[in-house]
Amino acid sequence: MMKLPTLKKFNYAMALQWIIFLPVILPLCLVFGALQGAVNMMGTMAQRMMLDIES
């Protein structure tokens, strides 16, 4: 019979840190992800433009 994993003691300090910092971290991640996507798209568009212009 498989043993169920025992529940660890709940870390309230870590939970409090996540609750405090998640509203700060999440928008930063969204903004930087959007910026990175825009930069990558610009690079892809520039490469396609160069290929179209050369041919």
Side-chain angles (χ1 to χ4, degrees), residues 13-25:
M14 186 62 68
L16 184 64
Q17 285 179 359
W18 274 107
I19 290 169
I20 291 170
F21 289 113
L22 190 63
V24 175
I25 294 169

Side-chain angles (χ1 to χ4, degrees), residues 27-48:
L28 282 175
C29 290
L30 291 173
V31 167
F32 282 116
L35 286 174
Q36 186 177 9
V39 169
N40 287 345
M41 184 55 66
M42 292 297 288
T44 303
M45 283 173 47
Q47 286 178 351
R48 286 183 184 170

